[in-house]
Amino acid sequence: MLSPSLVEERAEVIRIAQKMITDDLVVGTSGNVSVRSGELVAVTPSGVDYDGLTVGDIAVVRLDGTVVEGDLPPTSELPMHLTAYVEHGVQAVVHTHSLHATALSLLRDDVPAVHYQLAEMGGVVRVAEYATFGTDQLARNMSVALEGRGACVLRNHGTVAVGSTPAAAYNRARQLEWLCELWLTARRAGEPSLLDDEELSRCAAQFHHYSTR
């Protein structure tokens, strides 16, 4: 029997997971989505076609990883999701395998300041050091890169974006992919002009002002 308090959250996880497919942020069954509700987390299952997901397929786990409900096992990337919740106090996590962000991770240690949108993520987005998928080491590397930021890139892997809701985290994931594509496009023609830290700080203040109006 489904927990009534998590039916809505599980349905939202499905909606965002399916958007990742339509927006080309993942291929096949890659990537995953989760949302926290109190001490529980609703998260996509492992290796399942998102188009056919039902609410009952979405796993519900405790913050220690114990499975509470769900017809299917949670994603293999559960350690990353739980680390983001426990160490960074976020409410939703979106993990993609987006093309341009992953390509950039092969070339750089950060996403350069090619656009003021980076300010909404807390500044220049870092690239986490590579570790095998599904491991605690990957979760630790992600946590270091995510400190003080709304997203990070995983080297040779993909991205992690966080937020107050799945929709907010997803918007950051899409923005991050666009920023990476922008840098790669400009870099093919020459050396991109970058914004300095002072301008990013001004933009961050502007974002904060608009979000509190």
Side-chain angles (χ1 to χ4, degrees):
M1 181 176 180
L2 296 178
S3 299
S5 62
L6 289 184
V7 170
E8 184 177 339
E9 289 86 349
R10 292 157 98 174
E12 180 66 358
V13 164
I14 294 173
R15 186 182 76 82
I16 296 296
Q18 291 173 344
K19 277 180 66 64
M20 290 199 303
I21 292 287
T22 58
D23 290 340
D24 294 325
L25 295 185
V26 297
V27 176
T29 62
S30 63
N32 26 79
V33 179
S34 68
V35 61
R36 180 175 179 175
S37 179
E39 298 305 301
L40 298 177
V41 173
V43 61
T44 46
S46 180
V48 177
D49 188 340
Y50 294 142
D51 288 336
L53 283 176
T54 66
V55 168
D57 294 330
I58 302 301
V60 177
V61 303
R62 296 192 179 95
L63 291 174
D64 64 2
T66 303
V67 177
V68 176
E69 288 185 30
D71 297 333
L72 299 171
T75 173
S76 61
E77 298 293 11
L78 185 62
M80 276 204 309
H81 289 255
L82 298 181
T83 296
Y85 292 121
V86 173
E87 297 187 4
H88 299 278
V90 302
Q91 293 299 310
V93 177
V94 171
H95 167 47
T96 81
H97 285 188
S98 53
L99 175 63
H100 297 96
T102 306
L104 180 141
S105 80
L106 312 181
L107 304 169
R108 293 188 55 94
D109 294 328
D110 59 26
V111 180
V114 289
H115 193 277
Y116 65 80
Q117 191 65 41
L118 269 170
E120 192 277 331
M121 300 186 197
V124 172
V125 172
R126 307 180 189 100
V127 175
E129 287 304 314
Y130 178 80
T132 304
F133 76 92
T135 62
D136 290 337
Q137 185 62 56
L138 178 58
R140 287 192 291 269
N141 293 355
M142 175 218 67
S143 188
V144 170
L146 196 59
E147 184 65 36
R149 298 292 186 266
C152 69
V153 182
L154 308 175
R155 198 181 306 281
N156 298 79
H157 188 150
T159 73
V160 173
V162 299
S164 57
T165 65
Y170 185 74
N171 182 61
R172 281 180 171 161
R174 289 192 66 191
Q175 290 284 358
L176 180 55
E177 173 65 358
W178 180 80
L179 288 163
C180 293
E181 183 178 9
L182 175 60
W183 182 82
L184 289 166
T185 301
R187 190 66 181 84
R188 286 196 291 269
E191 190 62 36
S193 174
L194 304 180
L195 302 176
D196 59 26
D197 291 343
E198 185 178 351
E199 177 58 17
L200 284 182
S201 295
R202 279 195 292 267
C203 293
Q206 286 280 73
F207 279 122
H208 178 72
H209 172 71
Y210 290 127
S211 68
T212 57
R213 291 175 65 178

